Amino acid sequence: MTGFSEDLYTEFKRDWVQGAKRTAVAFANTDGGIIWLGVDDDGHVCGVPDADESMRQATQAISDGIRPDLMPFISVDSEDREGATVVAVHVGRGSNRPYYLADKGIRSAGVYVRSGAASIPASESAIVDMIRTTAGNSYESAVSLEQSLTFHSTENAFHGAGLAFTTASMRTLGMVNADGVFTNLAWLLSDQCTVSIKAAEFSESSKETFLDRQEFSGSLLDQIDQVAAFVNRRNRVISRVEGLKRVDEYAYAPLTLREALLNMIIHRDYALSAPSLVSVFPNRMEFLNPGGLPDTLTRSDMFNGISCQRNPKLANVFYRLHLVEAYGTGIRRILADYADADTQPEFNISDHVFRLVLPRKRLPDEDMHSAQSHSAPAVSQPANDREKKVLDYIAEHDAVTRAEVQSLINVSQATAAKLLRSLIKRGLLVREGSGPSTRYRLAGLGNK
């Protein structure tokens, strides 16, 4: 066309070809533009042989081959230019960016942007920026960059709670958007989730000497179970009998630990790449989470039980699975547990970090031991790698036999029996049954 050339907003094609979809995607992801059909690359008007057919092909290709739905931003018409019929495909800047080729997905091979007169693959950072802009402040509603997801753990959790886990329920929960694409919520619940929780136990009140450290990833529903097992194994308990009842006293109330862990997972800012941290010290546990309070919530609001959820859809999943009972009660429950304690929990909050410190409660037998001797440690710990291996095995399998210990650590019957007696004497294991049916379980976790 006389006086026209290809530029940021203009593309010429002799007729509609499948490659023109890349240009439509690029215009929608940038500032819009027009694809002229019936014009050579040099701007010479050659016309299209059948304007109606060209318009049909363009409309169908864009409707079927581009996601999300771009048709609200498309208009197609024909006109006479220099004695020939040309077709103008008008593409507006879309409101649900990034747009991508349906057969390529949300990756550089499917997402294009306009650069001068060329349509080029978008970088991963550009794709992420478009996703964030479209989703606003809702990380969980944004489209997931990873679309090859499986949900074995989540499916098991739903079935265990007596709930259906179907394509329809995934859409209702917000795991799949209106275009059938997985959201970040789906990614967080998927087996492929790479956000993590790092847990560590230290021998002193400073972080100088590790006793143990682990990192958990995968579905958040797996992570909550794994990190709960980690802290529960380090939550000392003593038991006494009152009448016909057994009464357990814990260094940390199990419900308080549960609230701390659930708050850490549900209210985390997953847009930040740093892991959550759980640290176990001889005198306290710390739970550090990326992300401070939501912008609309103050520290005073939090203590008054006002709930402003950063991840409401994730919270709803946990609610449906009966992992949380009511919104806005967790902090008040933690404070109520320490109402009569000499040392209170600490809530250290900055713009990008939320840190909860739970003081360890002294148990009655520790007060007695303290009056007699100051040399005894407050909590028994595994003395060597063999003991740690046995305790980890029991944590995973619920119980162990003496023969299983022999095989696990490759020792004689006498050595296995001696190790088990030592763990019982130090309050780490309890023995159940007698003879061939004797089994050993972790102390303080209850009997199944």
Short mmCIF file of all heavy atoms in Angstrom, two decimals, residues 359-413:
data_model
loop_
_atom_site.label_atom_id
_atom_site.label_comp_id
_atom_site.label_asym_id
_atom_site.label_seq_id
_atom_site.Cartn_x
_atom_site.Cartn_y
_atom_site.Cartn_z
N PRO A 359 7.67 -20.05 72.87
CA PRO A 359 8.56 -20.49 73.95
C PRO A 359 8.23 -21.94 74.35
O PRO A 359 7.07 -22.35 74.34
CB PRO A 359 8.24 -19.53 75.10
CG PRO A 359 7.50 -18.39 74.47
CD PRO A 359 6.79 -18.96 73.29
N ARG A 360 9.25 -22.67 74.72
CA ARG A 360 9.05 -24.04 75.19
C ARG A 360 8.61 -24.01 76.66
O ARG A 360 9.19 -23.31 77.48
CB ARG A 360 10.35 -24.83 75.07
CG ARG A 360 10.22 -26.30 75.42
CD ARG A 360 11.58 -26.99 75.32
NE ARG A 360 11.47 -28.42 75.53
CZ ARG A 360 11.39 -29.00 76.72
NH1 ARG A 360 11.41 -28.25 77.82
NH2 ARG A 360 11.30 -30.31 76.82
N LYS A 361 7.59 -24.76 76.96
CA LYS A 361 7.09 -24.83 78.33
C LYS A 361 7.89 -25.88 79.13
O LYS A 361 8.21 -26.94 78.60
CB LYS A 361 5.61 -25.19 78.35
CG LYS A 361 4.72 -24.17 77.67
CD LYS A 361 3.27 -24.63 77.65
CE LYS A 361 2.38 -23.63 76.93
NZ LYS A 361 0.98 -24.10 76.87
N ARG A 362 8.15 -25.57 80.38
CA ARG A 362 8.84 -26.54 81.24
C ARG A 362 7.81 -27.56 81.72
O ARG A 362 6.71 -27.23 82.13
CB ARG A 362 9.48 -25.84 82.43
CG ARG A 362 10.65 -24.94 82.05
CD ARG A 362 11.38 -24.45 83.29
NE ARG A 362 12.01 -25.53 84.01
CZ ARG A 362 13.20 -26.06 83.70
NH1 ARG A 362 13.87 -25.60 82.64
NH2 ARG A 362 13.72 -27.03 84.42
N LEU A 363 8.23 -28.82 81.67
CA LEU A 363 7.38 -29.91 82.13
C LEU A 363 7.66 -30.21 83.60
O LEU A 363 8.75 -29.94 84.10
CB LEU A 363 7.61 -31.15 81.26
CG LEU A 363 7.27 -30.95 79.78
CD1 LEU A 363 7.66 -32.19 78.98
CD2 LEU A 363 5.80 -30.65 79.60
N PRO A 364 6.68 -30.80 84.32
CA PRO A 364 6.86 -31.03 85.77
C PRO A 364 8.11 -31.81 86.11
O PRO A 364 8.80 -31.47 87.08
CB PRO A 364 5.59 -31.81 86.14
CG PRO A 364 4.57 -31.36 85.15
CD PRO A 364 5.33 -31.14 83.88
N ASP A 365 8.46 -32.85 85.36
CA ASP A 365 9.65 -33.63 85.70
C ASP A 365 10.92 -32.83 85.46
O ASP A 365 11.94 -33.05 86.12
CB ASP A 365 9.68 -34.93 84.92
CG ASP A 365 9.89 -34.73 83.42
OD1 ASP A 365 9.49 -33.66 82.92
OD2 ASP A 365 10.45 -35.63 82.77
N GLU A 366 10.88 -31.85 84.56
CA GLU A 366 12.05 -31.00 84.33
C GLU A 366 12.26 -30.06 85.50
O GLU A 366 13.39 -29.77 85.88
CB GLU A 366 11.88 -30.23 83.03
CG GLU A 366 11.90 -31.13 81.81
CD GLU A 366 11.47 -30.41 80.55
OE1 GLU A 366 11.00 -29.26 80.64
OE2 GLU A 366 11.60 -31.00 79.48
N ASP A 367 11.17 -29.58 86.11
CA ASP A 367 11.30 -28.74 87.30
C ASP A 367 11.94 -29.53 88.43
O ASP A 367 12.78 -29.04 89.17
CB ASP A 367 9.93 -28.23 87.74
CG ASP A 367 9.35 -27.22 86.76
OD1 ASP A 367 10.15 -26.55 86.09
OD2 ASP A 367 8.12 -27.13 86.66
N MET A 368 11.56 -30.81 88.60
CA MET A 368 12.12 -31.66 89.64
C MET A 368 13.59 -31.92 89.39
O MET A 368 14.42 -31.79 90.27
CB MET A 368 11.35 -32.97 89.71
CG MET A 368 11.89 -33.96 90.73
SD MET A 368 10.97 -35.52 90.69
CE MET A 368 11.44 -36.11 89.05
N HIS A 369 13.91 -32.26 88.11
CA HIS A 369 15.31 -32.52 87.77
C HIS A 369 16.16 -31.28 87.95
O HIS A 369 17.31 -31.35 88.36
CB HIS A 369 15.41 -33.02 86.34
CG HIS A 369 14.79 -34.38 86.15
ND1 HIS A 369 14.41 -34.86 84.93
CD2 HIS A 369 14.48 -35.34 87.05
CE1 HIS A 369 13.90 -36.07 85.07
NE2 HIS A 369 13.92 -36.37 86.35
N SER A 370 15.56 -30.12 87.65
CA SER A 370 16.31 -28.87 87.77
C SER A 370 16.67 -28.60 89.21
O SER A 370 17.74 -28.08 89.52
CB SER A 370 15.49 -27.72 87.21
OG SER A 370 16.18 -26.51 87.37
N ALA A 371 15.77 -28.96 90.13
CA ALA A 371 16.05 -28.73 91.55
C ALA A 371 17.15 -29.66 92.05
O ALA A 371 17.86 -29.34 92.99
CB ALA A 371 14.78 -28.94 92.38
N GLN A 372 17.29 -30.84 91.40
CA GLN A 372 18.28 -31.81 91.84
C GLN A 372 19.62 -31.63 91.13
O GLN A 372 20.67 -31.81 91.71
CB GLN A 372 17.76 -33.22 91.57
CG GLN A 372 16.52 -33.56 92.39
CD GLN A 372 15.94 -34.91 92.01
OE1 GLN A 372 16.38 -35.52 91.04
NE2 GLN A 372 14.96 -35.36 92.77
N SER A 373 19.54 -31.27 89.85
CA SER A 373 20.77 -31.18 89.06
C SER A 373 20.54 -30.30 87.86
O SER A 373 19.49 -30.37 87.23
CB SER A 373 21.22 -32.58 88.61
OG SER A 373 22.27 -32.47 87.69
N HIS A 374 21.49 -29.49 87.54
CA HIS A 374 21.39 -28.61 86.39
C HIS A 374 22.13 -29.17 85.18
O HIS A 374 22.27 -28.50 84.16
CB HIS A 374 21.95 -27.23 86.72
CG HIS A 374 21.17 -26.53 87.78
ND1 HIS A 374 19.93 -25.98 87.56
CD2 HIS A 374 21.45 -26.33 89.10
CE1 HIS A 374 19.48 -25.43 88.68
NE2 HIS A 374 20.38 -25.64 89.62
N SER A 375 22.61 -30.39 85.30
CA SER A 375 23.41 -30.93 84.21
C SER A 375 22.62 -31.74 83.20
O SER A 375 23.09 -32.01 82.12
CB SER A 375 24.52 -31.83 84.79
OG SER A 375 23.94 -32.93 85.49
N ALA A 376 21.39 -32.15 83.54
CA ALA A 376 20.61 -33.00 82.64
C ALA A 376 20.03 -32.18 81.52
O ALA A 376 19.49 -31.11 81.76
CB ALA A 376 19.49 -33.69 83.41
N PRO A 377 20.09 -32.65 80.29
CA PRO A 377 19.48 -31.92 79.17
C PRO A 377 17.98 -31.94 79.27
O PRO A 377 17.39 -32.89 79.80
CB PRO A 377 19.98 -32.68 77.94
CG PRO A 377 20.26 -34.07 78.43
CD PRO A 377 20.74 -33.90 79.85
N ALA A 378 17.31 -30.92 78.72
CA ALA A 378 15.86 -30.82 78.79
C ALA A 378 15.19 -31.85 77.89
O ALA A 378 14.13 -32.36 78.19
CB ALA A 378 15.40 -29.42 78.39
N VAL A 379 15.79 -32.16 76.77
CA VAL A 379 15.18 -33.06 75.81
C VAL A 379 16.20 -34.08 75.34
O VAL A 379 17.32 -33.72 74.98
CB VAL A 379 14.66 -32.28 74.57
CG1 VAL A 379 13.95 -33.23 73.61
CG2 VAL A 379 13.74 -31.17 75.00
N SER A 380 15.84 -35.37 75.38
CA SER A 380 16.72 -36.40 74.86
C SER A 380 16.77 -36.31 73.34
O SER A 380 15.75 -36.05 72.70
CB SER A 380 16.23 -37.79 75.28
OG SER A 380 16.31 -37.93 76.69
N GLN A 381 17.94 -36.56 72.78
CA GLN A 381 18.12 -36.50 71.34
C GLN A 381 18.76 -37.79 70.86
O GLN A 381 19.42 -38.49 71.63
CB GLN A 381 19.02 -35.31 70.95
CG GLN A 381 18.53 -33.97 71.44
CD GLN A 381 17.24 -33.56 70.77
OE1 GLN A 381 16.88 -34.12 69.75
NE2 GLN A 381 16.54 -32.61 71.36
N PRO A 382 18.60 -38.12 69.57
CA PRO A 382 19.32 -39.28 69.04
C PRO A 382 20.83 -39.10 69.24
O PRO A 382 21.37 -38.02 69.00
CB PRO A 382 18.96 -39.27 67.54
CG PRO A 382 17.69 -38.49 67.47
CD PRO A 382 17.77 -37.47 68.55
N ALA A 383 21.49 -40.16 69.72
CA ALA A 383 22.91 -40.05 70.04
C ALA A 383 23.80 -40.29 68.83
O ALA A 383 24.96 -39.90 68.83
CB ALA A 383 23.26 -41.04 71.15
N ASN A 384 23.28 -40.92 67.80
CA ASN A 384 24.11 -41.25 66.64
C ASN A 384 23.22 -41.47 65.42
O ASN A 384 21.99 -41.42 65.52
CB ASN A 384 24.98 -42.47 66.93
CG ASN A 384 24.15 -43.65 67.44
OD1 ASN A 384 23.14 -44.01 66.83
ND2 ASN A 384 24.57 -44.22 68.57
N ASP A 385 23.86 -41.73 64.28
CA ASP A 385 23.13 -41.91 63.03
C ASP A 385 22.23 -43.14 63.05
O ASP A 385 21.16 -43.15 62.44
CB ASP A 385 24.10 -42.00 61.85
CG ASP A 385 24.77 -40.68 61.55
OD1 ASP A 385 24.23 -39.65 61.98
OD2 ASP A 385 25.82 -40.68 60.87
N ARG A 386 22.66 -44.19 63.78
CA ARG A 386 21.81 -45.39 63.86
C ARG A 386 20.48 -45.06 64.54
O ARG A 386 19.41 -45.46 64.06
CB ARG A 386 22.53 -46.49 64.64
CG ARG A 386 23.63 -47.21 63.88
CD ARG A 386 24.26 -48.26 64.78
NE ARG A 386 25.24 -49.07 64.07
CZ ARG A 386 25.96 -50.03 64.64
NH1 ARG A 386 25.80 -50.29 65.94
NH2 ARG A 386 26.83 -50.72 63.94
N GLU A 387 20.57 -44.37 65.67
CA GLU A 387 19.34 -44.03 66.38
C GLU A 387 18.45 -43.12 65.54
O GLU A 387 17.22 -43.30 65.51
CB GLU A 387 19.68 -43.35 67.71
CG GLU A 387 20.31 -44.29 68.72
CD GLU A 387 20.50 -43.64 70.08
OE1 GLU A 387 20.27 -42.40 70.20
OE2 GLU A 387 20.88 -44.34 71.02
N LYS A 388 19.05 -42.16 64.88
CA LYS A 388 18.27 -41.25 64.04
C LYS A 388 17.57 -42.02 62.92
O LYS A 388 16.41 -41.77 62.60
CB LYS A 388 19.17 -40.17 63.44
CG LYS A 388 18.43 -39.17 62.57
CD LYS A 388 19.38 -38.13 62.02
CE LYS A 388 18.62 -37.13 61.15
NZ LYS A 388 17.93 -37.77 60.02
N LYS A 389 18.27 -42.99 62.34
CA LYS A 389 17.69 -43.77 61.25
C LYS A 389 16.49 -44.58 61.74
O LYS A 389 15.46 -44.67 61.06
CB LYS A 389 18.75 -44.69 60.66
CG LYS A 389 18.35 -45.35 59.34
CD LYS A 389 19.54 -46.09 58.73
CE LYS A 389 19.18 -46.64 57.36
NZ LYS A 389 20.34 -47.33 56.73
N VAL A 390 16.60 -45.14 62.94
CA VAL A 390 15.49 -45.91 63.51
C VAL A 390 14.30 -45.00 63.81
O VAL A 390 13.15 -45.33 63.49
CB VAL A 390 15.95 -46.64 64.78
CG1 VAL A 390 14.75 -47.26 65.51
CG2 VAL A 390 16.97 -47.72 64.44
N LEU A 391 14.55 -43.83 64.42
CA LEU A 391 13.46 -42.91 64.75
C LEU A 391 12.77 -42.40 63.50
O LEU A 391 11.54 -42.27 63.47
CB LEU A 391 14.01 -41.75 65.59
CG LEU A 391 14.52 -42.12 66.99
CD1 LEU A 391 15.16 -40.91 67.66
CD2 LEU A 391 13.40 -42.66 67.86
N ASP A 392 13.54 -42.10 62.46
CA ASP A 392 12.93 -41.64 61.22
C ASP A 392 12.08 -42.74 60.58
O ASP A 392 11.01 -42.47 60.02
CB ASP A 392 14.02 -41.18 60.23
CG ASP A 392 14.64 -39.85 60.63
OD1 ASP A 392 14.03 -39.14 61.45
OD2 ASP A 392 15.73 -39.53 60.12
N TYR A 393 12.56 -43.99 60.69
CA TYR A 393 11.78 -45.10 60.13
C TYR A 393 10.45 -45.25 60.86
O TYR A 393 9.40 -45.44 60.23
CB TYR A 393 12.59 -46.39 60.27
CG TYR A 393 11.88 -47.63 59.76
CD1 TYR A 393 12.00 -48.03 58.43
CD2 TYR A 393 11.06 -48.39 60.60
CE1 TYR A 393 11.34 -49.15 57.95
CE2 TYR A 393 10.38 -49.51 60.12
CZ TYR A 393 10.53 -49.89 58.80
OH TYR A 393 9.86 -50.98 58.33
N ILE A 394 10.47 -45.14 62.20
CA ILE A 394 9.23 -45.27 62.97
C ILE A 394 8.29 -44.11 62.65
O ILE A 394 7.06 -44.30 62.55
CB ILE A 394 9.53 -45.32 64.48
CG1 ILE A 394 10.42 -46.52 64.80
CG2 ILE A 394 8.23 -45.41 65.28
CD1 ILE A 394 10.90 -46.57 66.23
N ALA A 395 8.84 -42.91 62.48
CA ALA A 395 7.99 -41.76 62.15
C ALA A 395 7.25 -41.97 60.84
O ALA A 395 6.11 -41.53 60.66
CB ALA A 395 8.85 -40.49 62.07
N GLU A 396 7.89 -42.69 59.92
CA GLU A 396 7.28 -42.92 58.61
C GLU A 396 6.34 -44.12 58.62
O GLU A 396 5.31 -44.13 57.95
CB GLU A 396 8.37 -43.12 57.56
CG GLU A 396 7.83 -43.31 56.14
CD GLU A 396 8.93 -43.42 55.11
OE1 GLU A 396 10.11 -43.20 55.48
OE2 GLU A 396 8.62 -43.72 53.94
N HIS A 397 6.68 -45.15 59.41
CA HIS A 397 5.93 -46.41 59.36
C HIS A 397 5.09 -46.67 60.61
O HIS A 397 4.49 -47.74 60.72
CB HIS A 397 6.89 -47.59 59.14
CG HIS A 397 7.59 -47.56 57.83
ND1 HIS A 397 8.78 -46.86 57.63
CD2 HIS A 397 7.28 -48.11 56.62
CE1 HIS A 397 9.17 -47.01 56.38
NE2 HIS A 397 8.28 -47.75 55.74
N ASP A 398 5.07 -45.74 61.56
CA ASP A 398 4.24 -45.81 62.77
C ASP A 398 4.87 -46.67 63.86
O ASP A 398 4.78 -46.33 65.03
CB ASP A 398 2.83 -46.32 62.44
CG ASP A 398 1.93 -46.29 63.65
OD1 ASP A 398 1.92 -45.25 64.33
OD2 ASP A 398 1.24 -47.29 63.91
N ALA A 399 5.51 -47.80 63.52
CA ALA A 399 6.09 -48.67 64.53
C ALA A 399 7.19 -49.51 63.89
O ALA A 399 7.35 -49.55 62.67
CB ALA A 399 5.01 -49.57 65.15
N VAL A 400 7.95 -50.21 64.76
CA VAL A 400 9.04 -51.04 64.26
C VAL A 400 9.19 -52.25 65.19
O VAL A 400 8.86 -52.19 66.38
CB VAL A 400 10.36 -50.25 64.19
CG1 VAL A 400 10.92 -49.97 65.58
CG2 VAL A 400 11.40 -50.96 63.33
N THR A 401 9.67 -53.36 64.66
CA THR A 401 9.99 -54.53 65.46
C THR A 401 11.50 -54.62 65.63
O THR A 401 12.27 -53.96 64.93
CB THR A 401 9.49 -55.82 64.78
OG1 THR A 401 10.21 -56.01 63.56
CG2 THR A 401 7.99 -55.73 64.50
N ARG A 402 11.92 -55.47 66.59
CA ARG A 402 13.36 -55.63 66.80
C ARG A 402 14.03 -56.21 65.55
O ARG A 402 15.12 -55.78 65.15
CB ARG A 402 13.59 -56.54 68.00
CG ARG A 402 15.04 -56.60 68.45
CD ARG A 402 15.72 -57.86 67.99
NE ARG A 402 14.92 -59.02 68.35
CZ ARG A 402 14.83 -60.12 67.61
NH1 ARG A 402 15.47 -60.19 66.45
NH2 ARG A 402 14.09 -61.15 67.98
N ALA A 403 13.36 -57.15 64.89
CA ALA A 403 13.93 -57.74 63.67
C ALA A 403 14.08 -56.70 62.57
O ALA A 403 15.07 -56.71 61.81
CB ALA A 403 13.05 -58.89 63.19
N GLU A 404 13.11 -55.78 62.47
CA GLU A 404 13.20 -54.73 61.45
C GLU A 404 14.37 -53.78 61.74
O GLU A 404 15.04 -53.31 60.82
CB GLU A 404 11.88 -53.95 61.39
CG GLU A 404 10.75 -54.74 60.75
CD GLU A 404 9.40 -54.06 60.87
OE1 GLU A 404 9.23 -53.24 61.80
OE2 GLU A 404 8.52 -54.34 60.03
N VAL A 405 14.63 -53.52 63.03
CA VAL A 405 15.77 -52.68 63.40
C VAL A 405 17.07 -53.36 63.00
O VAL A 405 17.99 -52.73 62.46
CB VAL A 405 15.75 -52.36 64.91
CG1 VAL A 405 17.05 -51.68 65.32
CG2 VAL A 405 14.56 -51.47 65.24
N GLN A 406 17.17 -54.69 63.25
CA GLN A 406 18.36 -55.44 62.84
C GLN A 406 18.64 -55.25 61.36
O GLN A 406 19.77 -54.96 60.95
CB GLN A 406 18.15 -56.94 63.11
CG GLN A 406 18.36 -57.36 64.55
CD GLN A 406 18.20 -58.87 64.66
OE1 GLN A 406 17.22 -59.34 65.21
NE2 GLN A 406 19.16 -59.61 64.14
N SER A 407 17.59 -55.44 60.56
CA SER A 407 17.76 -55.33 59.11
C SER A 407 18.03 -53.90 58.68
O SER A 407 18.85 -53.66 57.78
CB SER A 407 16.49 -55.85 58.42
OG SER A 407 16.55 -55.67 57.03
N LEU A 408 17.37 -52.93 59.33
CA LEU A 408 17.48 -51.53 58.93
C LEU A 408 18.89 -51.00 59.09
O LEU A 408 19.42 -50.30 58.22
CB LEU A 408 16.48 -50.69 59.74
CG LEU A 408 16.46 -49.19 59.47
CD1 LEU A 408 15.92 -48.92 58.06
CD2 LEU A 408 15.59 -48.47 60.50
N ILE A 409 19.53 -51.32 60.22
CA ILE A 409 20.86 -50.75 60.50
C ILE A 409 21.96 -51.81 60.44
O ILE A 409 23.11 -51.53 60.80
CB ILE A 409 20.89 -50.01 61.85
CG1 ILE A 409 20.51 -50.95 63.00
CG2 ILE A 409 19.94 -48.82 61.81
CD1 ILE A 409 20.60 -50.29 64.38
N ASN A 410 21.57 -53.06 60.03
CA ASN A 410 22.54 -54.13 59.78
C ASN A 410 23.38 -54.44 61.02
O ASN A 410 24.62 -54.33 61.02
CB ASN A 410 23.44 -53.75 58.60
CG ASN A 410 24.25 -54.94 58.10
OD1 ASN A 410 23.83 -56.08 58.24
ND2 ASN A 410 25.42 -54.65 57.53
N VAL A 411 22.69 -54.82 62.11
CA VAL A 411 23.37 -55.16 63.36
C VAL A 411 22.84 -56.50 63.86
O VAL A 411 21.86 -57.05 63.35
CB VAL A 411 23.17 -54.07 64.44
CG1 VAL A 411 23.81 -52.77 64.01
CG2 VAL A 411 21.67 -53.87 64.72
N SER A 412 23.46 -57.01 64.91
CA SER A 412 23.03 -58.27 65.51
C SER A 412 21.77 -58.08 66.34
O SER A 412 21.37 -56.95 66.65
CB SER A 412 24.15 -58.82 66.41
OG SER A 412 24.32 -57.97 67.53
N GLN A 413 21.16 -59.21 66.72
CA GLN A 413 19.96 -59.15 67.56
C GLN A 413 20.25 -58.45 68.88
O GLN A 413 19.47 -57.63 69.35
CB GLN A 413 19.45 -60.56 67.81
CG GLN A 413 18.23 -60.63 68.74
CD GLN A 413 17.73 -62.06 68.93
OE1 GLN A 413 17.95 -62.91 68.08
NE2 GLN A 413 17.07 -62.32 70.03
#
